[in-house]
Amino acid sequence: LPHSEYMGDCLVEEKVTQKTEENGGFSGKGHFGDIMCGTRASVSLPGFWSPLERVIVTANGNLERICASYFNSDVDVKLVSMRQIAKNAFRRHVKLYMNQKAFCEALNIVTISDQSLLERIARGEVKVGNVFHAAGEILPFFNLLEAKKLTGGQIFRRYLLSAKGIECSVEEIFHPDLFPKLAA
């Protein structure tokens, strides 16, 4: 995993290296459930994913809205850390909370080739977490790269969000009892 070491205790048990249906992994190729995919959406995951797990795993940049809607509650995104790792790249570590309970931890590497957007970030006009909105409210292309259940029951997924001049690589780990935990 390219930047998972920053997730601390989230990967406590073991890393699943081989992604197969036998060990609970999924490896996606190409375009997968894009926000603007035309008149038909198609998602195919192995049968061991529950309906709610499939919704979470395939959320294409709208996880906060889906969880807020499902639970009829606010989702808070707390920035744990952010640092610039290159002239045009930033590493962000965030946690998502609902009802004061963390349910997801995410690491993002945001790479921006749009010079005017980089200048707006440098001036403090745009937050790195809002680059797609700041770039003209564009809808990013979603590409699920990997999804799997870890041995501790957590759900892991890795995906890309991209649009002209912006690429966001995201790794997320979800609490093993995401829905029961939040509903309590």
Side-chain angles (χ1 to χ4, degrees):
L1 304 173
H3 49 278
S4 293
E5 66 274 9
Y6 292 94
M7 288 188 148
D9 294 335
C10 284
L11 292 174
V12 291
E13 302 230 353
E14 69 180 62
K15 294 179 184 175
V16 178
T17 55
Q18 182 64 34
K19 299 171 296 292
T20 67
E21 289 186 7
E22 290 79 35
N23 69 9
F26 169 78
S27 180
K29 292 185 180 178
H31 180 45
F32 190 75
D34 191 19
I35 294 169
M36 299 296 284
C37 64
T39 59
R40 183 177 181 186
S42 176
V43 174
S44 178
L45 292 173
F48 53 78
W49 295 94
S50 75
L52 291 176
E53 289 171 337
R54 287 193 302 270
V55 168
I56 293 298
V57 165
T58 62
N60 54 6
N62 57 358
L63 178 69
E64 295 165 46
R65 182 192 57 77
I66 288 171
C67 288
S69 177
Y70 182 84
F71 292 104
N72 197 26
S73 183
D74 293 337
V75 172
D76 296 312
V77 179
K78 307 275 186 181
L79 181 65
V80 175
S81 66
M82 187 183 82
R83 66 183 174 106
Q84 194 164 359
I85 57 174
K87 181 181 176 183
N88 68 333
F90 303 85
R91 182 186 313 257
R92 294 178 72 240
H93 178 189
V94 299
K95 289 185 179 183
L96 281 69
Y97 291 83
M98 191 178 311
N99 302 325
Q100 301 176 344
K101 298 176 185 176
F103 69 91
C104 178
E105 188 165 1
L107 287 172
N108 314 20
I109 294 180
V110 181
T111 306
I112 303 165
S113 60
D114 180 318
Q115 189 59 39
S116 66
L117 190 54
L118 281 170
E119 290 168 5
R120 291 172 62 200
I121 290 170
R123 290 192 302 265
E125 297 171 6
V126 173
K127 293 182 179 180
V128 173
N130 297 330
V131 292
F132 291 108
H133 181 75
E137 298 186 25
I138 56 177
L139 296 173
F141 181 86
F142 173 80
N143 185 3
L144 180 65
L145 302 173
E146 182 177 4
K148 60 188 170 188
K149 294 180 181 182
L150 302 177
T151 56
Q154 302 100 329
I155 294 175
F156 170 86
R157 73 173 181 158
R158 185 171 55 92
Y159 62 94
L160 291 174
L161 293 173
S162 58
K164 184 176 182 184
I166 306 168
E167 181 174 280
C168 185
S169 168
V170 182
E171 291 183 354
E172 295 171 330
I173 291 188
F174 298 93
H175 187 276
D177 300 315
L178 171 63
F179 286 95
K181 174 186 177 190
L182 295 177

